[in-house]
Amino acid sequence: MALLPRGKSWIAGVRRHFPGEPKAGYVMPWEETPQWEREAAGAVYEQVRQFVEVSGGHAARLSREQKGRFVALCWTAQMYKHFEEPKPGYVADWGELPQWQRETDADIFEAVVAA
């Protein structure tokens, strides 16, 4: 399977927005990413792609925050799918996410729109 935009966008976003040096796990090569995480990323990509498609492309007009919130919510659903009791940071609400992660999630949405 080719590297989905979510993987590329996540790594690029973390490198761009993370303050200081990010944890190695945040920017590990796609091939080394755990299978569950690749599956979750693929599902999020598909959810965003379909959302944009069913809106006739008009979802691209959402605010940057709305775009990021959508990605974060899709990701949270995947965490509940893959973990019986996910870590609190995995399912944190938008207001609890660090700014770098919010920006990265918005970047992901925009990358899907551009794809």
Side-chain angles (χ1 to χ4, degrees):
M1 173 168 55
L3 177 60
L4 296 172
R6 193 289 182 202
K8 285 183 183 178
S9 298
W10 172 259
I11 293 167
V14 170
R15 292 198 186 283
R16 183 172 31 261
H17 302 294
F18 192 89
E21 185 65 29
K23 295 178 185 178
Y26 289 167
V27 293
M28 74 174 65
W30 184 249
E31 300 76 27
E32 296 174 24
T33 302
Q35 184 63 33
W36 72 263
E37 195 168 355
R38 287 186 280 167
E39 290 173 10
V44 171
Y45 171 84
E46 278 302 311
Q47 287 177 288
V48 174
R49 188 194 63 72
Q50 290 174 13
F51 181 59
V52 172
E53 183 179 309
V54 299
S55 76
H58 295 286
R61 296 171 57 190
L62 295 173
S63 71
R64 185 160 168 82
E65 180 177 325
Q66 290 169 324
K67 293 171 183 176
R69 282 179 180 267
F70 186 80
V71 170
L73 190 58
C74 292
W75 184 255
T76 297
Q78 288 298 309
M79 293 306 93
Y80 284 119
K81 176 183 177 184
H82 289 277
F83 298 100
E84 184 64 32
E85 293 186 35
K87 295 178 185 179
Y90 284 5
V91 294
D93 196 23
W94 180 256
E96 299 167 4
L97 295 176
Q99 187 63 31
W100 69 265
Q101 190 169 346
R102 293 182 198 180
E103 293 296 329
T104 300
D105 286 347
D107 287 354
I108 291 165
F109 190 104
E110 292 173 351
V112 174
V113 169

